[in-house]
Amino acid sequence: KLESPWSMAFLPDGRILVTERPGRLRIVEGDQLVPAAIRGVPTVLCCSHSGLLDVLVDPDFSRNHRIFLSYMHGTPEAGTIRISSAVLQGNELIDKRVIFESRPAAPGLDQIGGRIAFGPDRMLYLTIGDRFQMERAQNLLDDGGKIIRINTDGSIPDDNPFVGRSDALPEIYSYGHRNPQGLIGNVGDGQLWSIEQGPKGGDELNLVKAGANYGWPLVTYGTNYDGTIISDRTSAPGLVDPIYYWVPSLATANLVSYYGNIMPDDWRGDFLVGGLSGECLIRLRMDSGRVVKEERYLHHKIGRIRDVAVGADGYIYLLQDNSEAALYRLEPLNDLVARAKPLQ
């Protein structure tokens, strides 16, 4: 069993890296969890939803063996989110470097974002939540409620939208986000897509553009958890509307695009989303950048789904969100309904 897993990533040889929030990086080889955790993982701040978060494999891994990790650092009263790069050598991380740290340090252990992805431009992107401090999302001198963009060495790209402005942090790529949990730039359309958790209602699928304001908390399809109003508007001039949204919320987790050969042909190019409170796998049928149909699978069958990934083998993999969790692989049946098979 895995303890509170958050993310998975595939190595070129087929092995799967899996993060556990308490601060362990594990390897699944074949259908077995390797008993020993990888050594050398950075110390993380692990409480509530905080801890070791995402793992991303460098596209040139076969040459450089480099991976990237996102994680919470600091104290519950003054925490940051970091990205570290490291070289995977055997069962150990070496040549570790912190290449990004959010600012300012802030209280809060929930609603932290933490997803990292390569964009279609091969830049590195990170989602950062507002930690239940919604005013941070509109403050351009605060990384909270943003998607940031950096080079893989941690430097700031010269063409970032706010470079050179004294009233904004140069790493910010887009803002007005609440808690973006999914991010992909490998769809083949040259675009960057994100999935974002709303409050009580208002989870969103967004097409992410440089310098754009996605509106939180000025506009939202959701309300506070006690039912009180956050905003009486769902759209406003100068703010970007979501491509798709959910009311009620499903607590959307990671976002991937399906391009394998295992599922039926009409799955290719569709988006897959994990549901936490919704306890299901969501399939968004896409057509020219629009959602034309939503389908749900495995509803209440395996519990909360934290991560979704597509392997080089074309299979869909799912991570449960539990203190004792399993990694599943979906296998299509003749009636085209996938069944979940635990790997370990």
Side-chain angles (χ1 to χ4, degrees):
K1 290 289 186 179
L2 293 156
E3 182 182 358
S4 301
W6 204 90
S7 176
M8 59 184 141
F10 294 83
L11 294 171
D13 62 7
R15 292 180 299 162
I16 307 172
L17 297 174
V18 181
T19 62
E20 293 177 310
R21 280 210 319 272
R24 290 182 296 273
L25 182 61
R26 310 295 298 275
I27 289 180
V28 175
E29 190 166 1
D31 61 355
Q32 297 295 317
L33 178 66
V34 175
I38 292 172
R39 300 185 301 274
V41 173
T43 301
V44 305
L45 169 61
C46 180
C47 299
S48 191
H49 291 158
S50 174
L52 181 61
L53 303 173
D54 209 358
V55 55
L56 182 66
V57 174
D58 193 297
D60 296 324
F61 180 88
S62 296
R63 178 182 58 84
N64 62 23
H65 295 275
R66 188 162 294 281
I67 66 169
F68 300 88
L69 297 170
S70 67
Y71 56 98
M72 285 289 288
H73 171 80
T75 67
E77 297 74 32
T80 61
I81 188 164
R82 284 181 168 182
I83 301 175
S84 282
S85 72
V87 169
L88 178 60
Q89 184 180 79
N91 202 46
E92 184 176 10
L93 297 182
I94 62 171
D95 190 23
K96 291 173 287 186
R97 309 171 191 171
V98 176
I99 61 170
F100 175 79
E101 185 164 19
S102 65
R103 45 186 172 164
L109 299 167
D110 301 313
Q111 207 160 290
I112 53 182
R115 190 67 63 181
I116 45 178
F118 285 103
D121 54 7
R122 293 179 66 92
M123 297 295 180
L124 195 58
Y125 292 79
L126 165 70
T127 70
I128 303 179
D130 70 1
R131 289 198 237 171
F132 286 108
Q133 300 153 41
M134 60 179 68
E135 69 283 351
R136 298 180 67 191
Q138 293 295 321
N139 180 0
L140 290 174
L141 290 173
D142 189 321
D143 283 322
K146 311 297 189 302
I147 294 176
I148 67 104
R149 176 180 185 249
I150 59 174
N151 294 307
T152 55
D153 63 359
S155 60
I156 304 297
D158 293 337
D159 60 348
N160 269 12
F162 300 107
V163 165
R165 284 178 46 169
S166 60
D167 61 343
L169 298 179
E171 62 265 23
I172 294 173
Y173 187 75
S174 62
Y175 65 110
H177 300 285
R178 182 178 182 268
N179 187 20
Q181 289 282 298
L183 191 67
I184 51 172
N186 62 345
V187 178
D189 60 0
Q191 308 285 355
L192 186 71
W193 293 84
S194 74
I195 204 86
E196 182 169 331
Q197 292 181 0
K200 189 178 180 181
D203 293 356
E204 297 179 356
L205 172 70
N206 284 307
L207 183 59
V208 182
K209 299 290 188 182
N213 183 351
Y214 289 81
W216 175 257
L218 306 176
V219 295
T220 179
Y221 283 91
T223 63
N224 282 311
Y225 293 111
D226 62 5
T228 56
I229 299 298
I230 298 168
S231 172
D232 58 1
R233 297 181 296 172
T234 57
S235 183
L239 306 180
V240 179
D241 294 333
I243 299 297
Y244 192 74
Y245 63 91
W246 288 266
V247 177
S249 290
L250 298 174
T252 49
N254 198 19
L255 170 71
V256 297
S257 179
Y258 186 79
Y259 278 102
N261 296 315
I262 297 298
M263 303 303 290
D265 289 347
D266 64 352
W267 282 58
R268 290 191 191 126
D270 288 353
F271 288 172
L272 303 175
V273 182
L276 292 166
S277 63
E279 294 190 4
C280 62
L281 174 66
I282 305 151
R283 174 189 172 201
L284 299 178
R285 303 194 68 175
M286 304 299 294
D287 184 10
S288 302
R290 298 182 304 112
V291 177
V292 296
K293 187 177 182 181
E294 175 187 341
E295 298 182 47
R296 300 182 186 182
Y297 304 88
L298 302 173
H299 198 236
H300 298 309
K301 297 294 185 184
I302 64 171
R304 293 162 58 89
I305 298 175
R306 166 58 67 182
D307 197 17
V308 184
V310 179
D313 55 10
Y315 285 99
I316 298 167
Y317 293 77
L318 307 176
L319 269 181
Q320 284 178 310
D321 180 62
N322 287 311
S323 57
E324 292 186 2
L327 169 64
Y328 289 83
R329 186 177 76 184
L330 299 190
E331 299 183 353
L333 300 177
N334 292 334
D335 62 1
L336 306 187
V337 177
R339 65 183 173 93
K341 178 183 178 181
L343 293 186
Q344 48 74 42

